[in-house]
Amino acid sequence: MANLIYMPVKCAWGKDCVTENSDMLVPLGKKCLIVTGKNSAKQSGALSDATAALEKHGIAYEIFDGIGENPLISACHRAGEAARKAKADFILGIGGGSVLDGSKAIAIYASNADLTPIDIYKREYNNAPLPVALIGTTAGTGSEVTAVAVLTNDETGVKKSISGGDCYAAVAYCDPKYTASMPYKTTVSTALDAFAHAVEGYFTPKCNGVLRVFAEKCIPELYRCLKELSNSDTVMTELREPLYYSSIYAGLVINTCGTAFPHPLGYVLTENYGVPHGMACAAFFSPYIDRCAKFAPEKFADFCRMTENIEEVKNIIAKLTDLSGVKIGEEKAKKYALRWQSVVPRNFTASPGGLTQEEAAEILSLI
């Protein structure tokens, strides 16, 4: 089977990369809409670096700071309207995964005034999205380098992704210093998300060749950092760089390989119980890795060599995953699993051994 890898994002990588590579923004246009959440862009210092870079090259900008966690399609639609009103040539997203994902959708809405919020899921429109530049401030999603945006439907509260070549950023700035302002809990959750990406992607059939190299580089590093985090209630400065760069390597893995069943099951915990995304995915690590041991024994043996005793890995992930107040049980699990009755997610079929709706309900019922 041929292995296909496509990675069109132009990345600047390392300390002060925004300042030192600000000219990468020039080809994108003369005016941009900066998209942020309420706090991280400012607190991290990324916003001030970005505006200085824009001003250096005479690029005008306006700021839209209305993107929250699990970005709503309605908020992205409003931001698209703001971009049109501002006559923006491109979008500059600064923040965690929610802002970066949201920026990709905003670029589509901005150039297609006839789209309603829900139309984003149809993936049909006449005009190409505006170019997007991204600056990450968390170490989790790897959205800087992926062609995926996970959005939340306001009406149903359900998370659903869009993906495709139109969802790639034109430019991404990857500087771990912007993650230093993340509080402990956010650091843990985003690290769990990156670990989930790396591990889930690793066990998919597509993870071969250079993608396997990326996965095998970041899995032990992320596990080492998670182990350190499990033994403290603060974040050591020296963990910031390996956490961030590992999240980008994990992003490169899932960009081609995708994720497995812990992700769609994790959406249930986020949508109904407010569990942060990374912790929600990590909640299903144990049943996932058990299936990997059964259905992908060779890769599982390599995974064990990259980490430690598998029971210790499970214990560390469980220790860092806060599910306080969450109780699903059998009846609720069956109800939640109805969302997969008519369409089997690719995440299920990509998982070792596959996964049925009934098996998904059984795993959910264990929470």
Side-chain angles (χ1 to χ4, degrees):
M1 182 178 70
N3 296 312
L4 302 177
I5 299 173
Y6 180 56
M7 177 42 58
V9 184
K10 188 175 183 179
C11 293
W13 188 286
K15 188 174 183 295
D16 299 327
C17 61
V18 173
T19 301
E20 295 178 4
N21 298 275
S22 59
D23 58 335
M24 289 166 57
L25 297 170
V26 174
L28 304 184
K30 294 293 186 181
K31 187 171 186 180
C32 77
L33 182 73
I34 298 176
V35 176
T36 73
K38 293 299 183 184
N39 299 307
S40 71
K42 293 179 182 178
Q43 292 176 352
S44 66
L47 181 59
S48 60
D49 283 355
T51 54
L54 294 168
E55 290 165 4
K56 175 182 177 181
H57 296 288
I59 301 173
Y61 60 85
E62 293 185 20
I63 298 175
F64 182 93
D65 64 357
I67 301 299
E69 290 186 29
N70 307 305
L72 299 173
I73 55 174
S74 62
C76 295
H77 190 264
R78 288 196 302 273
E81 293 175 340
R84 287 196 302 276
K85 184 177 180 180
K87 294 182 169 56
D89 298 312
F90 67 98
I91 306 297
L92 174 55
I94 308 174
S98 292
V99 170
L100 305 191
D101 283 6
S103 295
K104 299 171 185 181
I106 291 164
I108 296 171
Y109 287 128
S111 59
N112 292 277
D114 58 323
L115 292 184
T116 66
I118 197 68
D119 287 340
I120 195 79
Y121 294 121
K122 295 179 181 178
R123 309 298 285 123
E124 296 176 358
Y125 49 82
N126 295 319
N127 303 316
L130 296 185
V132 175
L134 300 175
I135 303 175
T137 62
T138 64
T141 68
S143 185
E144 295 93 329
V145 294
T146 71
V148 178
V150 181
L151 311 169
T152 299
N153 183 334
D154 302 56
E155 295 182 1
T156 63
V158 172
K159 295 174 67 173
K160 184 179 178 181
S161 64
I162 61 171
S163 62
D166 57 334
C167 290
Y168 280 112
V171 171
Y173 292 101
C174 304
D175 188 339
K177 75 177 183 182
Y178 297 134
T179 67
S181 60
M182 278 196 302
Y184 174 81
K185 186 174 181 179
T186 304
T187 301
V188 168
S189 185
T190 55
L192 289 169
D193 190 22
F195 189 68
H197 289 166
V199 176
E200 291 175 38
Y202 180 67
F203 282 100
T204 66
K206 292 182 179 180
C207 193
N208 295 295
V210 68
L211 296 171
R212 187 159 178 168
V213 173
F214 289 152
E216 291 176 348
K217 179 175 178 61
C218 64
I219 286 173
E221 192 79 299
L222 286 165
Y223 178 65
R224 179 183 68 81
C225 293
L226 288 168
K227 188 174 181 179
E228 293 284 352
L229 290 169
S230 73
N231 292 322
S232 176
D233 58 0
T234 59
V235 184
M236 294 183 293
T237 301
E238 55 265 32
L239 294 183
R240 296 297 186 184
E241 186 170 306
L243 280 171
Y244 183 72
Y245 289 144
S246 292
S247 76
I248 299 299
Y249 282 120
L252 291 168
V253 172
I254 64 167
N255 184 56
T256 297
C257 301
T259 55
F261 74 70
H263 263 69
L265 267 62
Y267 290 171
V268 171
L269 298 183
T270 299
E271 294 164 4
N272 297 283
Y273 302 94
V275 179
H277 173 70
M279 291 185 180
C281 295
F284 303 101
F285 172 79
S286 184
Y288 178 70
I289 206 67
D290 286 346
R291 290 180 73 88
C292 293
K294 180 178 180 179
F295 295 107
E298 292 183 7
K299 276 191 176 180
F300 177 76
D302 289 336
F303 175 81
C304 291
R305 283 191 287 271
M306 283 187 277
T307 53
E308 298 176 3
N309 178 284
I310 194 63
E311 292 306 316
E312 184 172 357
V313 180
K314 290 180 180 180
N315 289 338
I316 288 172
I317 300 302
K319 182 178 179 181
L320 291 171
T321 304
D322 181 10
L323 295 181
S324 55
V326 179
K327 179 62 178 176
I328 294 181
E330 186 175 348
E331 291 306 311
K332 285 185 178 179
K334 289 180 179 178
K335 179 181 177 182
Y336 292 142
L338 290 175
R339 67 196 293 168
W340 304 303
Q341 188 170 32
S342 57
V343 179
V344 178
R346 286 177 293 179
N347 316 68
F348 284 14
T349 56
S351 302
L355 196 78
T356 65
Q357 176 193 348
E358 291 74 21
E359 289 172 325
E362 183 179 350
I363 292 171
L364 283 170
S365 71
L366 300 176
I367 299 296

PDB file of all heavy atoms in Angstrom, residues 30-45:
ATOM      1  N   LYS A  30      -2.638  42.972   2.932  1.00  0.00           N
ATOM      2  CA  LYS A  30      -2.382  44.278   3.548  1.00  0.00           C
ATOM      3  C   LYS A  30      -3.177  44.509   4.830  1.00  0.00           C
ATOM      4  O   LYS A  30      -2.924  45.456   5.567  1.00  0.00           O
ATOM      5  CB  LYS A  30      -2.729  45.394   2.551  1.00  0.00           C
ATOM      6  CG  LYS A  30      -1.837  45.429   1.322  1.00  0.00           C
ATOM      7  CD  LYS A  30      -0.417  45.819   1.703  1.00  0.00           C
ATOM      8  CE  LYS A  30       0.459  45.996   0.460  1.00  0.00           C
ATOM      9  NZ  LYS A  30       1.856  46.345   0.833  1.00  0.00           N
ATOM     10  N   LYS A  31      -4.169  43.642   5.082  1.00  0.00           N
ATOM     11  CA  LYS A  31      -4.963  43.793   6.310  1.00  0.00           C
ATOM     12  C   LYS A  31      -5.424  42.422   6.772  1.00  0.00           C
ATOM     13  O   LYS A  31      -5.750  41.557   5.948  1.00  0.00           O
ATOM     14  CB  LYS A  31      -6.173  44.696   6.085  1.00  0.00           C
ATOM     15  CG  LYS A  31      -6.927  45.013   7.376  1.00  0.00           C
ATOM     16  CD  LYS A  31      -8.000  46.072   7.177  1.00  0.00           C
ATOM     17  CE  LYS A  31      -8.625  46.453   8.527  1.00  0.00           C
ATOM     18  NZ  LYS A  31      -9.686  47.492   8.378  1.00  0.00           N
ATOM     19  N   CYS A  32      -5.460  42.243   8.102  1.00  0.00           N
ATOM     20  CA  CYS A  32      -5.915  40.951   8.622  1.00  0.00           C
ATOM     21  C   CYS A  32      -6.872  41.143   9.788  1.00  0.00           C
ATOM     22  O   CYS A  32      -6.909  42.207  10.420  1.00  0.00           O
ATOM     23  CB  CYS A  32      -4.729  40.093   9.055  1.00  0.00           C
ATOM     24  SG  CYS A  32      -3.994  40.540  10.635  1.00  0.00           S
ATOM     25  N   LEU A  33      -7.645  40.100  10.023  1.00  0.00           N
ATOM     26  CA  LEU A  33      -8.440  40.018  11.243  1.00  0.00           C
ATOM     27  C   LEU A  33      -7.689  39.092  12.180  1.00  0.00           C
ATOM     28  O   LEU A  33      -7.448  37.918  11.857  1.00  0.00           O
ATOM     29  CB  LEU A  33      -9.829  39.449  10.958  1.00  0.00           C
ATOM     30  CG  LEU A  33     -10.741  39.367  12.191  1.00  0.00           C
ATOM     31  CD1 LEU A  33     -11.214  40.765  12.593  1.00  0.00           C
ATOM     32  CD2 LEU A  33     -11.945  38.455  11.940  1.00  0.00           C
ATOM     33  N   ILE A  34      -7.306  39.618  13.343  1.00  0.00           N
ATOM     34  CA  ILE A  34      -6.680  38.790  14.375  1.00  0.00           C
ATOM     35  C   ILE A  34      -7.789  38.132  15.181  1.00  0.00           C
ATOM     36  O   ILE A  34      -8.676  38.811  15.696  1.00  0.00           O
ATOM     37  CB  ILE A  34      -5.778  39.623  15.298  1.00  0.00           C
ATOM     38  CG1 ILE A  34      -4.635  40.249  14.498  1.00  0.00           C
ATOM     39  CG2 ILE A  34      -5.226  38.766  16.434  1.00  0.00           C
ATOM     40  CD1 ILE A  34      -3.747  41.173  15.330  1.00  0.00           C
ATOM     41  N   VAL A  35      -7.739  36.828  15.290  1.00  0.00           N
ATOM     42  CA  VAL A  35      -8.752  36.061  16.018  1.00  0.00           C
ATOM     43  C   VAL A  35      -8.130  35.503  17.288  1.00  0.00           C
ATOM     44  O   VAL A  35      -7.081  34.850  17.240  1.00  0.00           O
ATOM     45  CB  VAL A  35      -9.299  34.909  15.148  1.00  0.00           C
ATOM     46  CG1 VAL A  35     -10.274  34.051  15.947  1.00  0.00           C
ATOM     47  CG2 VAL A  35      -9.966  35.453  13.889  1.00  0.00           C
ATOM     48  N   THR A  36      -8.767  35.760  18.427  1.00  0.00           N
ATOM     49  CA  THR A  36      -8.252  35.280  19.714  1.00  0.00           C
ATOM     50  C   THR A  36      -9.405  34.848  20.611  1.00  0.00           C
ATOM     51  O   THR A  36     -10.572  35.054  20.295  1.00  0.00           O
ATOM     52  CB  THR A  36      -7.464  36.385  20.456  1.00  0.00           C
ATOM     53  OG1 THR A  36      -8.381  37.366  20.974  1.00  0.00           O
ATOM     54  CG2 THR A  36      -6.458  37.073  19.552  1.00  0.00           C
ATOM     55  N   GLY A  37      -9.025  34.275  21.752  1.00  0.00           N
ATOM     56  CA  GLY A  37      -9.962  34.098  22.847  1.00  0.00           C
ATOM     57  C   GLY A  37      -9.865  35.327  23.737  1.00  0.00           C
ATOM     58  O   GLY A  37      -9.402  36.385  23.313  1.00  0.00           O
ATOM     59  N   LYS A  38     -10.244  35.185  24.995  1.00  0.00           N
ATOM     60  CA  LYS A  38     -10.266  36.340  25.886  1.00  0.00           C
ATOM     61  C   LYS A  38      -8.922  36.625  26.550  1.00  0.00           C
ATOM     62  O   LYS A  38      -8.625  37.774  26.886  1.00  0.00           O
ATOM     63  CB  LYS A  38     -11.333  36.152  26.971  1.00  0.00           C
ATOM     64  CG  LYS A  38     -12.758  36.165  26.441  1.00  0.00           C
ATOM     65  CD  LYS A  38     -13.093  37.496  25.784  1.00  0.00           C
ATOM     66  CE  LYS A  38     -14.537  37.529  25.309  1.00  0.00           C
ATOM     67  NZ  LYS A  38     -14.857  38.791  24.586  1.00  0.00           N
ATOM     68  N   ASN A  39      -8.088  35.591  26.762  1.00  0.00           N
ATOM     69  CA  ASN A  39      -6.932  35.808  27.618  1.00  0.00           C
ATOM     70  C   ASN A  39      -5.585  35.363  27.054  1.00  0.00           C
ATOM     71  O   ASN A  39      -4.613  36.109  27.125  1.00  0.00           O
ATOM     72  CB  ASN A  39      -7.148  35.101  28.971  1.00  0.00           C
ATOM     73  CG  ASN A  39      -8.357  35.626  29.713  1.00  0.00           C
ATOM     74  OD1 ASN A  39      -8.481  36.830  29.913  1.00  0.00           O
ATOM     75  ND2 ASN A  39      -9.249  34.736  30.120  1.00  0.00           N
ATOM     76  N   SER A  40      -5.496  34.143  26.525  1.00  0.00           N
ATOM     77  CA  SER A  40      -4.181  33.547  26.298  1.00  0.00           C
ATOM     78  C   SER A  40      -3.316  34.318  25.315  1.00  0.00           C
ATOM     79  O   SER A  40      -2.094  34.373  25.460  1.00  0.00           O
ATOM     80  CB  SER A  40      -4.325  32.088  25.837  1.00  0.00           C
ATOM     81  OG  SER A  40      -4.836  32.011  24.525  1.00  0.00           O
ATOM     82  N   ALA A  41      -3.912  34.921  24.303  1.00  0.00           N
ATOM     83  CA  ALA A  41      -3.110  35.655  23.319  1.00  0.00           C
ATOM     84  C   ALA A  41      -2.369  36.806  23.975  1.00  0.00           C
ATOM     85  O   ALA A  41      -1.187  37.059  23.686  1.00  0.00           O
ATOM     86  CB  ALA A  41      -4.000  36.170  22.192  1.00  0.00           C
ATOM     87  N   LYS A  42      -3.056  37.500  24.889  1.00  0.00           N
ATOM     88  CA  LYS A  42      -2.413  38.614  25.597  1.00  0.00           C
ATOM     89  C   LYS A  42      -1.432  38.107  26.644  1.00  0.00           C
ATOM     90  O   LYS A  42      -0.291  38.564  26.725  1.00  0.00           O
ATOM     91  CB  LYS A  42      -3.478  39.490  26.261  1.00  0.00           C
ATOM     92  CG  LYS A  42      -4.381  40.238  25.293  1.00  0.00           C
ATOM     93  CD  LYS A  42      -5.421  41.057  26.044  1.00  0.00           C
ATOM     94  CE  LYS A  42      -6.358  41.774  25.082  1.00  0.00           C
ATOM     95  NZ  LYS A  42      -7.411  42.533  25.801  1.00  0.00           N
ATOM     96  N   GLN A  43      -1.893  37.185  27.491  1.00  0.00           N
ATOM     97  CA  GLN A  43      -1.063  36.726  28.607  1.00  0.00           C
ATOM     98  C   GLN A  43       0.224  36.059  28.146  1.00  0.00           C
ATOM     99  O   GLN A  43       1.259  36.163  28.801  1.00  0.00           O
ATOM    100  CB  GLN A  43      -1.867  35.765  29.481  1.00  0.00           C
ATOM    101  CG  GLN A  43      -3.009  36.428  30.227  1.00  0.00           C
ATOM    102  CD  GLN A  43      -3.851  35.430  31.003  1.00  0.00           C
ATOM    103  OE1 GLN A  43      -3.685  34.211  30.877  1.00  0.00           O
ATOM    104  NE2 GLN A  43      -4.781  35.928  31.813  1.00  0.00           N
ATOM    105  N   SER A  44       0.189  35.402  27.026  1.00  0.00           N
ATOM    106  CA  SER A  44       1.356  34.670  26.531  1.00  0.00           C
ATOM    107  C   SER A  44       2.401  35.570  25.892  1.00  0.00           C
ATOM    108  O   SER A  44       3.548  35.166  25.706  1.00  0.00           O
ATOM    109  CB  SER A  44       0.907  33.628  25.503  1.00  0.00           C
ATOM    110  OG  SER A  44       0.379  34.268  24.349  1.00  0.00           O
ATOM    111  N   GLY A  45       1.992  36.776  25.521  1.00  0.00           N
ATOM    112  CA  GLY A  45       2.886  37.672  24.797  1.00  0.00           C
ATOM    113  C   GLY A  45       2.801  37.511  23.297  1.00  0.00           C
ATOM    114  O   GLY A  45       3.412  38.274  22.541  1.00  0.00           O
TER     115      GLY A  45
END
